[in-house]
Amino acid sequence: MAQASEPVRHTGMREHNLSLVLGAIVRHGSVTRARAAELTGLTKTTVSGLVAALTEAGFVAPADARADADGPGARGERSGRGPGRPGAPVAVSGARHAGLGLAVDADGLSAFVLDLHGTARAHEVVVRDNRTRAPDAVAAELGDLARRMLDRAGAQGLTAAGLALALPGLVDRRGGDGRTVLRFAPNLGWRNVAPDALLAAHLPPLRLPPETGNEANFAALAERWSGVGAGLGDYIHVSAEVGIGAGLIIGGELFRGTHGLAGELGHCLVEPDGALCGCGSRGCLEQYASIDAMLRAAGSDVAEPTAAALLAALTAGRPTALAAVERAGRAVGAALVSAINLLDLDAVVLGGGYVPLAPWLSGPVRDALARGPGRLRGTAPHLAVSTLGRYAPARGAAGSVVRRLLADPALVI
Amino acid sequence: MAQASEPVRHTGMREHNLSLVLGAIVRHGSVTRARAAELTGLTKTTVSGLVAALTEAGFVAPADARADADGPGARGERSGRGPGRPGAPVAVSGARHAGLGLAVDADGLSAFVLDLHGTARAHEVVVRDNRTRAPDAVAAELGDLARRMLDRAGAQGLTAAGLALALPGLVDRRGGDGRTVLRFAPNLGWRNVAPDALLAAHLPPLRLPPETGNEANFAALAERWSGVGAGLGDYIHVSAEVGIGAGLIIGGELFRGTHGLAGELGHCLVEPDGALCGCGSRGCLEQYASIDAMLRAAGSDVAEPTAAALLAALTAGRPTALAAVERAGRAVGAALVSAINLLDLDAVVLGGGYVPLAPWLSGPVRDALARGPGRLRGTAPHLAVSTLGRYAPARGAAGSVVRRLLADPALVI
């Protein structure tokens, strides 16, 4: 319990007030110092000092100059309005700080850089079969990718304050000392890997400690922050590559579960005594509706075992491929019915590898949603298709860094 | 936003302070006025006034007299300690206020009265086939049951401040004006029933407005408050009668979902293209693992279609009955695997109609939990069996009234 006689921690209060003022600017878009004082309940003098610090640190900039901060007009407008005056509005600046998002999946690595406006500033995919690679080798290549992204950000005047890493497995927050453990990534074959140690060994050190999370969770957040998820109520974002990942957005927030293990839709059981899964169960959704499972089921209708070849076979109307994807759609629909009934969800977003397949998958999924949940709930859950594609996990990871930074600018001031 | 010039609402502050003081007494068991002042930050004079009001209203009583408040020793001990002195401890009194819980299911009605200590003071079951009865007829009989319970409570000096009703269906909180709608109760055949209107027409009016909720949710809460759920982390409580109900306890609280529709484990899909369910889907768990489904599958091994006859057949080792329950156990296990993987649960509680069947059901359920979730999570989720039996929903409903009352005693002061 806090004691009344405890001295006030001025640094703590300043950190808190920096967050308050930046928070008001984030929420209201463009505010004067006077308005920021009203919104925060702080004095105008205090706000002016804090805005000066935030400006100096590159978090905010005069609002009029924002749109073309890098352009020729910026300087003129700044001097014209007098940025130090309480009447001159300030807004979040996208010119200095960035978040770096990284993602590893069975098929490669990806990276995304977002500025504080949430604008994409750089991205890259490295196609690589990670299914048989050791964590150390993947982390070393991730380090190279990260350094390239930091260089590209730097060339635009941006500094990445931190990075977040999206992994295709169960990232358990019970690792002790606040550290995470990648308990199991079935499609990488990794077990009990400590991401923090890997990142410390291979990634460039940044101001903020790195964050690790499940790729599907980051994708679901990216959808909420800059995709189709913004207008949906509670939803599940489900995507497929080699495996299946899902993230739950409930009440506008990621539902992680107490140990950070929630959202494993791929291991919902859809077939009694079905195919044995890497997790130990039989009949997991992943055995029927991952891209790999669809490729296996499509057999010789698909020229080579790639998502592109599957898409070509579907477009050409090859019957075994069509049947494979139809069946996958029914399996996804069944797992989603379970998820909706358990979690009271309003909507579903198909993402990642499901996006190009959506014309074939959506029908059976929509049928399943309309049948039981539609009748039980009075209205069928909404079905949406992601517009973020391959980069959703890395974009969500970058967004997570940006959110952290905007919530607590003192981390880098 | 609150304005600084707004006058302080003294009644609001007194209500708040009554809650504060009673809350401290609830949490700490038995406290002196001086200790209550420390715990709440209020002055001793204020606390003394509030404790006097709480005593007068029957919420608290001198702690020494609590154990035998109804017995002959009470008066003597009270006068001996001087209950008005700041040094005399007070505790929650179980002698005056009660909560009435009611439950309707396909097989009957039940009622439970709890005092403020959470002690059972009266309960009753009315066995009745409600599957073809109109809501009005059931509510009329519920009214008779409620009046009997209030009489039995009254004979013990207890007044029920409010009642809560547990219903076997989707109780939707989107009814408008804060009212609920029973959207669909498949096993009663009820659709879009307004419980508040039914209760107003047939139930005796009490001080608090009645509350309506899903029976499985109330059962899960009862398990948390006074059953095996107290020591488990996040869990799902699953029970079966004619249908299957489940309630989710996450972070110590009921997870209702945004619209109050969460936890519908019975409509998780466990069999592709399986039996058609009342909800519109095919292959819902309820079609394989409700008591009715097990009775159907046990065929002539069971002398008559009752849970007791099923139990007798299992005990006698009748093979078709054993196979039916074994299959049900595998189906329950499959649905639970999906729930655990989606929600990151630590444990499962088998309740209601599953309790007597647990010796036969537990094996296949435990196998399913150990296989996938055990490997994915590093440790298998815990499996527990309820000790509350048939009364869990009504007991949870009564507990909900008691919780509401203890959280805001001003509701009846």
Short mmCIF file of all heavy atoms in Angstrom, two decimals, chain A residues 362-386:
data_model
loop_
_atom_site.label_atom_id
_atom_site.label_comp_id
_atom_site.label_asym_id
_atom_site.label_seq_id
_atom_site.Cartn_x
_atom_site.Cartn_y
_atom_site.Cartn_z
N SER A 362 -15.19 -18.95 -49.05
CA SER A 362 -16.22 -18.16 -48.37
C SER A 362 -17.58 -18.83 -48.36
O SER A 362 -18.30 -18.75 -47.35
CB SER A 362 -16.36 -16.78 -49.02
OG SER A 362 -15.18 -16.07 -48.89
N GLY A 363 -17.94 -19.49 -49.46
CA GLY A 363 -19.27 -20.11 -49.55
C GLY A 363 -19.52 -21.09 -48.42
O GLY A 363 -20.45 -20.88 -47.61
N PRO A 364 -18.71 -22.16 -48.32
CA PRO A 364 -18.96 -23.11 -47.23
C PRO A 364 -18.82 -22.49 -45.84
O PRO A 364 -19.55 -22.87 -44.92
CB PRO A 364 -17.91 -24.21 -47.45
CG PRO A 364 -17.01 -23.74 -48.54
CD PRO A 364 -17.70 -22.65 -49.27
N VAL A 365 -17.90 -21.54 -45.67
CA VAL A 365 -17.76 -20.90 -44.36
C VAL A 365 -19.04 -20.13 -44.03
O VAL A 365 -19.62 -20.25 -42.95
CB VAL A 365 -16.53 -19.97 -44.32
CG1 VAL A 365 -16.54 -19.12 -43.05
CG2 VAL A 365 -15.25 -20.77 -44.42
N ARG A 366 -19.51 -19.35 -45.01
CA ARG A 366 -20.70 -18.54 -44.79
C ARG A 366 -21.91 -19.43 -44.47
O ARG A 366 -22.72 -19.12 -43.59
CB ARG A 366 -20.98 -17.69 -46.03
CG ARG A 366 -21.73 -16.40 -45.75
CD ARG A 366 -22.03 -15.65 -47.05
NE ARG A 366 -20.84 -15.29 -47.79
CZ ARG A 366 -20.11 -14.18 -47.57
NH1 ARG A 366 -20.47 -13.35 -46.63
NH2 ARG A 366 -19.04 -13.92 -48.30
N ASP A 367 -22.02 -20.56 -45.18
CA ASP A 367 -23.12 -21.50 -44.91
C ASP A 367 -23.09 -21.97 -43.46
O ASP A 367 -24.12 -22.01 -42.79
CB ASP A 367 -23.01 -22.74 -45.81
CG ASP A 367 -23.43 -22.43 -47.24
OD1 ASP A 367 -23.96 -21.32 -47.48
OD2 ASP A 367 -23.21 -23.29 -48.12
N ALA A 368 -21.91 -22.35 -42.99
CA ALA A 368 -21.79 -22.85 -41.62
C ALA A 368 -22.17 -21.77 -40.61
O ALA A 368 -22.86 -22.04 -39.62
CB ALA A 368 -20.37 -23.34 -41.35
N LEU A 369 -21.73 -20.53 -40.86
CA LEU A 369 -22.03 -19.44 -39.92
C LEU A 369 -23.52 -19.13 -39.90
O LEU A 369 -24.08 -18.79 -38.85
CB LEU A 369 -21.25 -18.17 -40.31
CG LEU A 369 -19.73 -18.25 -40.34
CD1 LEU A 369 -19.14 -16.88 -40.53
CD2 LEU A 369 -19.18 -18.89 -39.08
N ALA A 370 -24.16 -19.22 -41.07
CA ALA A 370 -25.59 -18.87 -41.13
C ALA A 370 -26.44 -19.91 -40.42
O ALA A 370 -27.43 -19.58 -39.78
CB ALA A 370 -26.02 -18.74 -42.59
N ARG A 371 -26.04 -21.17 -40.53
CA ARG A 371 -26.86 -22.26 -40.01
C ARG A 371 -27.04 -22.18 -38.49
O ARG A 371 -28.04 -21.64 -38.03
CB ARG A 371 -26.24 -23.61 -40.41
CG ARG A 371 -27.22 -24.51 -41.17
CD ARG A 371 -26.53 -25.74 -41.65
NE ARG A 371 -25.62 -25.46 -42.75
CZ ARG A 371 -24.39 -25.94 -42.88
NH1 ARG A 371 -23.90 -26.75 -41.95
NH2 ARG A 371 -23.64 -25.64 -43.91
N GLY A 372 -26.06 -22.67 -37.72
CA GLY A 372 -26.23 -22.69 -36.27
C GLY A 372 -26.16 -21.31 -35.63
O GLY A 372 -27.14 -20.84 -35.04
N PRO A 373 -25.00 -20.63 -35.73
CA PRO A 373 -24.88 -19.34 -35.04
C PRO A 373 -25.92 -18.33 -35.50
O PRO A 373 -26.44 -17.55 -34.70
CB PRO A 373 -23.46 -18.87 -35.41
CG PRO A 373 -22.73 -20.13 -35.71
CD PRO A 373 -23.75 -21.06 -36.33
N GLY A 374 -26.25 -18.35 -36.79
CA GLY A 374 -27.25 -17.41 -37.29
C GLY A 374 -28.58 -17.61 -36.59
O GLY A 374 -29.24 -16.66 -36.18
N ARG A 375 -28.97 -18.87 -36.40
CA ARG A 375 -30.25 -19.14 -35.74
C ARG A 375 -30.17 -18.91 -34.24
O ARG A 375 -31.10 -18.38 -33.64
CB ARG A 375 -30.69 -20.58 -36.02
CG ARG A 375 -31.20 -20.73 -37.45
CD ARG A 375 -31.81 -22.09 -37.69
NE ARG A 375 -32.97 -22.33 -36.85
CZ ARG A 375 -33.60 -23.50 -36.80
NH1 ARG A 375 -33.18 -24.52 -37.54
NH2 ARG A 375 -34.65 -23.66 -36.03
N LEU A 376 -29.05 -19.33 -33.63
CA LEU A 376 -28.91 -19.16 -32.18
C LEU A 376 -28.87 -17.69 -31.78
O LEU A 376 -29.38 -17.30 -30.75
CB LEU A 376 -27.63 -19.85 -31.68
CG LEU A 376 -27.68 -21.35 -31.47
CD1 LEU A 376 -26.30 -21.89 -31.18
CD2 LEU A 376 -28.62 -21.70 -30.30
N ARG A 377 -28.22 -16.87 -32.61
CA ARG A 377 -27.98 -15.48 -32.25
C ARG A 377 -28.97 -14.51 -32.89
O ARG A 377 -28.94 -13.31 -32.61
CB ARG A 377 -26.56 -15.08 -32.66
CG ARG A 377 -25.49 -15.97 -32.03
CD ARG A 377 -24.14 -15.80 -32.71
NE ARG A 377 -23.66 -14.45 -32.61
CZ ARG A 377 -23.01 -13.98 -31.56
NH1 ARG A 377 -22.74 -14.76 -30.55
NH2 ARG A 377 -22.63 -12.72 -31.53
N GLY A 378 -29.82 -15.01 -33.78
CA GLY A 378 -30.78 -14.13 -34.43
C GLY A 378 -30.23 -13.48 -35.68
O GLY A 378 -30.98 -13.02 -36.52
N THR A 379 -28.91 -13.45 -35.81
CA THR A 379 -28.29 -12.85 -36.99
C THR A 379 -26.95 -13.55 -37.24
O THR A 379 -26.22 -13.84 -36.29
CB THR A 379 -28.11 -11.32 -36.81
OG1 THR A 379 -27.21 -10.84 -37.80
CG2 THR A 379 -27.53 -10.99 -35.45
N ALA A 380 -26.65 -13.83 -38.50
CA ALA A 380 -25.42 -14.56 -38.81
C ALA A 380 -24.20 -13.68 -38.60
O ALA A 380 -24.23 -12.49 -38.93
CB ALA A 380 -25.45 -15.07 -40.25
N PRO A 381 -23.12 -14.25 -38.04
CA PRO A 381 -21.89 -13.46 -37.91
C PRO A 381 -21.40 -12.98 -39.27
O PRO A 381 -21.57 -13.65 -40.28
CB PRO A 381 -20.91 -14.47 -37.30
CG PRO A 381 -21.76 -15.54 -36.70
CD PRO A 381 -23.00 -15.61 -37.55
N HIS A 382 -20.79 -11.80 -39.27
CA HIS A 382 -20.28 -11.20 -40.49
C HIS A 382 -19.00 -11.90 -40.93
O HIS A 382 -18.18 -12.27 -40.11
CB HIS A 382 -20.01 -9.71 -40.22
CG HIS A 382 -19.61 -8.95 -41.42
ND1 HIS A 382 -20.46 -8.70 -42.46
CD2 HIS A 382 -18.43 -8.37 -41.76
CE1 HIS A 382 -19.83 -7.99 -43.39
NE2 HIS A 382 -18.59 -7.79 -42.98
N LEU A 383 -18.84 -12.07 -42.24
CA LEU A 383 -17.61 -12.66 -42.77
C LEU A 383 -16.88 -11.62 -43.61
O LEU A 383 -17.44 -11.08 -44.57
CB LEU A 383 -17.94 -13.89 -43.62
CG LEU A 383 -16.75 -14.61 -44.25
CD1 LEU A 383 -15.83 -15.22 -43.19
CD2 LEU A 383 -17.22 -15.71 -45.20
N ALA A 384 -15.62 -11.31 -43.25
CA ALA A 384 -14.84 -10.31 -43.98
C ALA A 384 -13.53 -10.94 -44.44
O ALA A 384 -13.09 -11.96 -43.90
CB ALA A 384 -14.55 -9.11 -43.08
N VAL A 385 -12.93 -10.35 -45.45
CA VAL A 385 -11.66 -10.85 -45.97
C VAL A 385 -10.61 -9.76 -45.79
O VAL A 385 -10.85 -8.59 -46.08
CB VAL A 385 -11.78 -11.25 -47.46
CG1 VAL A 385 -10.43 -11.73 -47.99
CG2 VAL A 385 -12.84 -12.33 -47.63
N SER A 386 -9.45 -10.16 -45.27
CA SER A 386 -8.37 -9.20 -44.98
C SER A 386 -7.87 -8.52 -46.25
O SER A 386 -7.85 -9.10 -47.32
CB SER A 386 -7.21 -9.94 -44.32
OG SER A 386 -6.06 -9.12 -44.30
#
